[in-house]
Amino acid sequence: MFEAPRPSTRVMSESDGPKQVDDPDYHSENHTAAQTCGWTANSLRGEGKCYKYIFYGIESHRCIQMTPVVKCNERCVFCWRDHAGHAYELGDVEWDDPAAVADASLELQKKLLSGFGGNDKVPRERFEEAMEPRHVAISLDGEPSLYPYLPELIEEFHDRDITTFLVSNGTNPEVLERCDPTQLYVSVDAPDRQTFDDTVKAVEDGAWESLIDTLDVLADKEDTRTVVRTTLVKGHNMHNPAWYAAMCQRADVDYVEMKAYMHVGHSRGRLDRDSMPSHDEVREFTEKVGEFLPDHDTMKEVEESHVTLLAQEEQTWVPKLEKSSDFWERDPVVSY
């Protein structure tokens, strides 16, 4: 159990706490940041759900998109974030304990969604459900494993009956080894060292070797569902499908998720629009990778999101999130 003293969680100002990125304007409390996903808003209005619902069963309107640290140790060319705002300096951060981060995440989500309570397009029942999130996507920005109490934070969310979906770049295998989220995604955005250096541009030496070590960490996971995810950038990393497959085999992952780079945000200053593959190109490359993964013979796709999934069987939903599960039987406790 985590027993460190609990610092106060103050709303940040420009001169208070670790610097957050200026664009986009995240809602923050100290080093915890959250932002409403576009699919959350769509789901509230009944206008569709994220591909993660189709693949894994995540209810978009009940999902918090957050991060415990807006800092990153990589400078991926395809990232839509502003690299200038990710100064990799952690020594001056006054870390909140996991309970404080979880509290901040829930409060920020309620503030972000509070305006939907008066929206005529949002059914009251759905709004009340959104006020009691059941999932947290630890994926908003930065590298979550830089937060020193990430394993304890995941357990804190689980103790609150909230499922966790952690996205990491795999540079801290010793941290991920202690993390047991509901589902763990590791970004593998290059099939070889040279492509990794050109595309990911890690801040620290040894990042490639750490990623390889993380593949072994994934292979040892028993209770956590594992995913290798790749952002495909045309002209940069869409080659050597057999090598991608070899990395997935080494990691013994449950799923392989491949998604097109999108020409948005600050990435437009690093890449041109031609770097964005079409969905057909994403599907074609995924099929090439799948030729070397005979056990992952099921392919799913969501064309609207330019994303594909290789799986070992047709049913890919998290069992706990099946609609017949007791997980959904708890009545919402509304406070807004």
Side-chain angles (χ1 to χ4, degrees):
M1 179 180 296
F2 183 83
E3 296 180 351
R6 175 172 174 167
S8 61
T9 52
R10 299 163 294 171
V11 177
M12 286 188 56
S13 68
E14 297 241 346
S15 60
D16 184 18
K19 184 182 185 301
Q20 305 287 317
V21 292
D22 296 323
D23 182 19
D25 184 16
Y26 297 136
H27 285 62
S28 303
E29 285 192 19
N30 198 20
H31 55 81
T32 301
Q35 188 179 52
T36 303
C37 171
W39 286 108
T40 298
N42 286 352
S43 180
L44 277 164
R45 294 189 295 257
E47 297 172 356
K49 300 177 182 179
C50 172
Y51 74 88
K52 295 182 181 70
Y53 172 79
I54 297 171
F55 288 170
Y56 311 122
I58 298 174
E59 289 284 0
S60 302
H61 67 292
R62 307 190 73 175
C63 182
I64 304 172
Q65 182 183 226
M66 60 76 65
T67 181
V69 54
V70 184
K71 302 283 184 177
C72 194
N73 53 3
E74 293 184 341
R75 300 290 181 267
C76 300
V77 296
F78 54 80
C79 183
W80 61 268
R81 285 87 167 180
D82 179 8
H83 288 166
H86 288 92
Y88 184 43
E89 300 169 358
L90 298 171
D92 62 341
V93 178
E94 182 182 347
W95 296 111
D96 287 341
D97 71 44
V101 173
D103 287 341
S105 302
L106 290 163
E107 288 304 315
L108 288 168
Q109 182 78 344
K110 289 179 180 179
K111 291 177 183 177
L112 286 164
L113 300 184
S114 60
F116 286 96
N119 189 323
D120 292 339
K121 295 182 179 180
V122 178
R124 192 63 184 178
E125 180 181 0
R126 192 174 301 146
F127 174 70
E128 291 177 355
E129 288 177 345
M131 289 295 100
E132 189 187 21
R134 304 309 306 275
H135 324 291
V136 59
I138 309 175
S139 64
L140 172 64
D141 203 341
E143 170 48 40
S145 66
L146 297 176
Y147 173 58
Y149 311 120
L150 182 61
E152 293 85 357
L153 175 61
I154 290 168
E155 290 308 308
E156 181 69 31
F157 280 121
H158 289 176
D159 288 345
R160 301 173 188 224
D161 209 13
I162 295 174
T163 57
T164 54
F165 295 80
L166 172 64
V167 179
S168 172
N169 61 23
T171 52
N172 292 305
E174 68 284 353
V175 175
L176 297 181
E177 187 175 15
R178 297 189 296 114
C179 290
D180 291 306
T182 306
Q183 191 154 297
L184 172 57
Y185 307 75
V186 170
S187 297
V188 176
D189 298 308
D192 58 81
R193 175 65 178 267
Q194 184 61 55
T195 304
F196 182 85
D197 290 343
D198 294 342
T199 304
V200 172
K201 300 182 182 298
V203 174
E204 299 173 310
D205 294 335
W208 172 256
E209 289 78 9
S210 293
L211 176 60
I212 300 304
D213 289 342
T214 292
L215 300 181
D216 295 334
V217 169
L218 290 176
D220 287 338
K221 293 292 183 186
E222 295 182 357
D223 298 326
T224 295
R225 287 158 54 109
T226 56
V227 186
V228 157
R229 55 170 291 166
T230 302
T231 299
L232 295 175
V233 188
K234 196 173 178 179
H236 283 259
N237 64 356
M238 295 180 69
H239 53 256
N240 293 338
W243 296 7
Y244 276 111
M247 296 177 77
C248 294
Q249 286 179 322
R250 178 165 180 164
D252 191 23
V253 289
D254 296 306
Y255 307 109
V256 179
E257 184 181 296
M258 296 196 154
K259 195 173 189 301
Y261 154 68
M262 304 306 292
H263 193 239
V264 297
H266 290 273
S267 74
R268 291 173 296 180
R270 308 179 208 113
L271 298 169
D272 56 37
R273 190 170 181 83
D274 291 340
S275 300
M276 185 171 61
S278 67
H279 182 69
D280 287 342
E281 290 170 323
V282 171
R283 183 198 303 113
E284 180 181 356
F285 189 77
T286 304
E287 289 173 343
K288 290 180 179 178
V289 173
E291 290 175 4
F292 301 96
L293 293 171
D295 291 339
H296 292 72
D297 57 358
T298 293
M299 192 179 84
K300 296 189 173 187
E301 58 185 319
V302 178
E303 185 169 357
E304 182 179 6
S305 297
H306 294 191
V307 63
T308 58
L309 183 76
L310 293 175
Q312 299 183 42
E313 55 186 31
E314 184 67 25
Q315 179 52 273
T316 59
W317 274 29
V318 176
K320 189 173 185 177
L321 303 186
E322 293 284 351
K323 292 308 176 186
S324 59
S325 170
D326 293 342
F327 179 73
W328 299 109
E329 292 183 1
R330 187 178 65 177
D331 293 330
V333 178
V334 185
S335 58
Y336 48 84

